[in-house]
Amino acid sequence: REIAMRDRTKRAAALCLGAGLALAAVPALAAPSAATNETTAPLGPITVPSAGSPLVALHVLFDVGSIHDPAGKEGLATLTALMVGQAGTKKHTYSQLLETLYPMAASIDAQTDREVTVFSGEVHKDTLAEYTALFEEALLSPAFAPSDFERNKEELLSFLTTTLRGSSDELLGLEEIQDVIWKGHPYGHPPAGTVEGLKSITLDDVKSFYRAHYTRANLMLGVAGGYPAGYVERLEKDLAALPAGQAGGAAHAEIPPVPAVQGRSFTLIDKKTASVGIHFGYPLPINRSHPDYYPLMVANSFLGQHRTSHGRLMQQLREKRGLNYGDYSYIEYWRNPPGTMRPGPGVPRHEQFFSVWIRPVVPNTAHFALRAALYEVERLRDQGMTPAEFELTRDFLLNYSKLWAQTLSSRLGWQMDSRFYGMPYYIDEIDRELRKLSVDDVNRAAKKYLETASYDAVVVTDHAADFKAALEKDEPSPMTYNSKPGEDVLAADKTIEALKVKPTAIEIVPIDQVFQK
């Protein structure tokens, strides 16, 4: 009961932003054996066998996500996933599941994004049979109990109204910039849904959604670790109890093209907060299955690799000017940035976006910080990287990317993502593609895909009307320092402070209206 009653908000945030919801505590994951042999069949299960591992990881991916939420029922895909992974079954109540899983140090995690839902777990092979029975029970015979329904719906509502609106400006900006970029598009609302959408969902809606989308045609099975002979085949046979369904739940052809971004549109979220958070970005016409992704990956790492200090944004805004804490850039969706150091699998998307994240900024320097970030994007686009900068950044990524797949579970996840994209194993592809690159390749990609002429921006700030007035005037915003920086910084500041933002549209949104409908 103590586990079931732990902080609702944190658990809801974990699911909706990709960290997953655990039914019980999970032990540290073992690193894969050097002898691990990864195999990916054209059809059928993805396996990462490791005979020497005492652990077994199990992933089941369904081609169903928030893009399948009916209009007015935003949040249905995530709520359905919770009713499978965070609820009771026809044989066990939710409390009974918790009590059974706890001594196994195991969990059943559910994660819903725009296009896919992933159920996963890891367990010691000594209790694999018992765990698998519970995992299958959750997938195949959810109870859809009214008490679970009300609890899970309340968790999602709390995430939207308490976590996003109240306590996490970073996540608030991340979700809102996606809503703005994909306005009017199936991507255009958080997987957690909207307040009005969630309130309109009934238990019958969940049951119907489950029957329609949790099918064999939408399923991808993955197993990793020290599983016994015949285990995968038995899983396949058991999961055949799901209805056949029709393939293509999240097929690329079914997703409309992203709306074009025209001009420089600002959404100012008016919120009582001591700092200012800035996100700006625009859709990209490529994802990691495209050859141009890899030179752009190097350029982006040089500009602002997440949670590292070598990026230009971090060096120039934080280290040299002391503007704020975090300054990063991204060329695809990053799952749960407050809680992650490195990218993780399980959130593949056919449509991706470039974005820059700057926060927390003192209000009187926010205008300058915005200009400084735009300046660095323009600088990389126009000047490119030097050969030395390219070699250093490329070598960093070649080594750093290996850390993204330290565990069997993560390697399995990357394998499944790679099948989603129809490409070779992502971690190996990074190594192959980056070794072929030249500095000219990277600079061409930066010039082609980086821009500041058209983008959407989201700014979380108090006194939004004052910030709007400053943007509209577009007058210089000089910096003042407590201690004098270097002459190179002061010289660059003269250009930065006068850089024209030229907003083409500015909208102020009260915090209590964000994610409302």
Side-chain angles (χ1 to χ4, degrees):
R1 291 189 181 93
E2 291 177 356
I3 299 171
M5 292 301 293
R6 60 188 170 177
D7 192 322
R8 284 184 171 188
T9 300
K10 290 181 180 178
R11 289 160 53 217
L15 176 119
C16 301
L17 292 158
L21 277 169
L23 284 178
V26 185
L29 303 180
S33 164
T36 296
N37 176 31
E38 300 170 358
T39 60
T40 305
L43 296 172
I46 292 175
T47 58
V48 185
S50 180
S53 174
L55 300 175
V56 178
L58 175 59
H59 290 202
V60 173
L61 180 152
F62 288 96
D63 278 334
V64 57
S66 61
I67 65 170
H68 297 96
D69 290 342
K73 303 281 185 181
E74 291 81 7
L76 181 55
T78 295
L79 184 52
T80 303
L82 284 171
M83 290 298 293
V84 173
Q86 185 90 19
T89 69
K90 292 178 180 177
K91 293 182 180 179
H92 296 89
T93 66
Y94 179 53
S95 295
Q96 289 171 337
L97 280 176
L98 289 172
E99 292 170 0
T100 305
L101 287 166
Y102 183 76
M104 298 183 196
S107 67
I108 299 174
D109 301 335
Q111 178 178 296
T112 299
D113 190 51
R114 259 66 177 183
E115 294 192 49
V116 302
T117 292
V118 180
F119 296 94
S120 60
E122 191 165 72
V123 68
H124 195 280
K125 61 184 180 182
D126 288 350
T127 55
L128 179 60
E130 296 90 336
Y131 175 79
T132 302
L134 294 175
F135 194 100
E136 291 179 350
E137 193 178 306
L139 287 180
L140 299 175
S141 57
F144 297 122
S147 59
D148 289 333
F149 175 73
E150 294 301 328
R151 172 177 51 82
N152 285 316
K153 181 192 284 193
E154 183 58 35
E155 283 200 354
L156 292 176
L157 286 167
S158 177
F159 173 70
L160 293 173
T161 60
T162 303
T163 301
L164 288 185
R165 290 180 181 174
S167 63
S168 182
D169 289 355
E170 181 176 350
L171 297 182
L172 171 63
L174 173 63
E175 286 303 320
E176 181 65 10
I177 190 64
Q178 294 175 87
D179 280 18
V180 171
I181 289 174
W182 277 284
K183 185 177 182 179
H185 184 278
Y187 275 28
H189 65 271
T194 64
V195 172
E196 292 184 12
L198 285 168
K199 288 182 176 179
S200 74
I201 296 172
T202 67
L203 187 54
D204 284 339
D205 293 329
V206 170
K207 293 177 181 178
S208 297
F209 195 87
Y210 170 81
R211 289 192 297 268
H213 296 284
Y214 283 62
T215 66
R216 298 197 303 276
N218 284 340
L219 181 148
M220 185 194 306
L221 172 63
V223 183
Y227 53 87
Y231 175 72
V232 176
E233 292 75 14
R234 288 193 295 274
L235 264 177
E236 286 188 281
K237 182 178 179 181
D238 293 346
L239 293 177
L242 289 168
Q246 294 183 350
H252 193 191
E254 292 186 1
I255 304 174
V258 61
V261 174
Q262 300 290 340
R264 294 157 299 282
S265 177
F266 281 74
T267 299
L268 310 183
I269 299 178
D270 198 2
K271 176 185 175 181
K272 293 293 182 183
T273 179
S275 63
V276 178
I278 301 168
H279 285 81
F280 64 85
Y282 51 84
L284 287 172
I286 61 172
N287 58 42
R288 70 177 71 147
S289 67
H290 193 285
D292 283 355
Y293 174 90
Y294 298 91
L296 188 59
M297 182 186 202
V298 176
N300 181 74
S301 183
F302 173 74
L303 179 63
Q305 184 75 43
H306 180 76
R307 290 289 192 264
T308 66
S309 60
H310 72 267
R312 282 279 307 185
L313 289 168
M314 179 68 88
Q315 291 178 355
Q316 296 298 315
L317 275 67
R318 174 177 168 173
E319 294 186 8
K320 291 190 175 183
R321 293 175 172 84
L323 280 168
N324 65 326
Y325 172 77
D327 305 284
Y328 311 114
S329 59
Y330 308 87
I331 59 171
E332 62 180 13
Y333 172 68
W334 190 287
R335 180 180 64 187
N336 192 24
T340 54
M341 293 292 293
R342 307 181 186 103
V347 286
R349 299 180 179 184
H350 287 106
E351 295 184 1
Q352 294 288 359
F353 64 112
F354 170 79
S355 66
V356 170
W357 168 69
I358 308 294
R359 75 164 300 275
V361 182
V362 176
N364 63 7
T365 62
H367 201 172
F368 182 88
L370 169 64
R371 285 171 156 155
L374 292 168
Y375 173 82
E376 290 301 332
V377 175
E378 290 181 354
R379 180 189 177 279
L380 178 55
R381 178 198 64 200
D382 298 339
Q383 298 182 24
M385 299 169 63
T386 67
E389 290 168 340
F390 161 72
E391 292 291 344
L392 186 63
T393 306
R394 193 260 303 269
D395 289 350
F396 165 78
L397 276 175
L398 282 169
N399 291 285
Y400 187 51
S401 59
K402 305 300 188 296
L403 299 179
W404 305 350
Q406 294 182 80
T407 67
L408 288 172
S409 184
S410 62
R411 292 172 74 176
L412 177 60
W414 291 122
Q415 287 276 14
M416 298 176 78
D417 285 3
S418 298
R419 177 179 289 183
F420 174 93
Y421 285 110
M423 60 177 284
Y425 179 49
Y426 178 49
I427 304 302
D428 289 347
E429 193 75 351
I430 293 172
D431 190 90
R432 280 191 294 267
E433 291 295 326
L434 265 58
R435 291 186 187 280
K436 297 187 297 185
L437 293 178
S438 69
V439 65
D440 291 338
D441 296 328
V442 174
N443 290 339
R444 277 194 295 269
K447 188 170 289 291
K448 182 176 181 180
Y449 294 106
L450 298 182
E451 67 161 288
T452 57
S454 295
Y455 59 85
D456 287 314
V458 170
V459 181
V460 181
T461 182
D462 197 3
H463 304 297
D466 293 341
F467 195 77
K468 179 183 179 184
L471 287 171
E472 289 173 335
K473 291 179 181 178
D474 216 11
E475 294 176 348
S477 53
M479 269 292 294
T480 58
Y481 297 97
N482 293 327
S483 58
K484 186 179 178 181
E487 292 300 325
D488 60 326
V489 171
L490 293 175
D493 281 0
K494 293 298 183 183
T495 300
I496 294 170
E497 68 186 38
L499 188 151
K500 292 297 183 182
V501 178
K502 299 179 181 178
T504 53
I506 305 175
E507 179 185 11
I508 295 177
V509 180
I511 185 62
D512 60 2
Q513 293 302 307
V514 180
F515 314 125
Q516 182 66 24
K517 59 182 179 180

